[in-house]
Amino acid sequence: MAKQSDTTYKVLQGDCLDYFQSNYIQDVHLTFFDPPYNQGKDYLYFNDEQDPKKYWVSIKEILIGIYEATIEGGGVYFMQREKNVEY
């Protein structure tokens, strides 16, 4: 007999910063963060050719939101391109 789990999940659509600012996202155990890589791809809702400084400020803002929403001991998988390793 399979053990019942209390695991829950939500799929959210929209700007994550809006969710972070409203404190809607809390007690996160794991985040998979795969942002656009600022390499000029044609995204519908994201400018992927930003000034690098502006790009990294926005990434940092998102990561702060993730950190604040994550429980102690929680984890983040942060996907990023090799060319951005120095950041």
Side-chain angles (χ1 to χ4, degrees):
M1 180 172 210
K3 182 179 175 184
Q4 186 166 349
S5 173
D6 293 332
T7 302
T8 60
Y9 62 90
K10 294 178 185 174
V11 176
L12 305 173
Q13 182 176 345
D15 188 333
C16 64
L17 294 175
D18 292 338
Y19 288 108
F20 291 139
Q21 291 169 358
S22 70
N23 289 323
Y24 183 78
I25 301 174
Q26 298 177 8
D27 301 326
V28 174
H29 291 252
L30 176 65
T31 298
F32 185 90
F33 182 47
D34 187 9
Y37 301 127
N38 206 33
Q39 58 187 9
K41 287 193 174 183
D42 188 22
Y43 291 102
L44 186 58
Y45 298 110
F46 184 79
N47 175 8
D48 200 40
E49 283 190 275
Q50 296 180 34
D51 173 74
K53 189 171 187 172
K54 179 181 176 186
Y55 172 78
W56 286 106
V57 165
S58 67
I59 294 296
K60 183 178 179 181
E61 188 176 12
I62 293 167
L63 289 170
I64 289 169
I66 291 170
Y67 176 81
E68 291 174 351
T70 301
I71 66 165
E72 186 173 335
V76 178
Y77 285 98
F78 182 4
M79 308 306 288
Q80 199 49 257
R81 294 275 317 240
E82 307 81 32
K83 71 176 189 160
N84 294 329
V85 171
E86 69 270 13
Y87 295 101

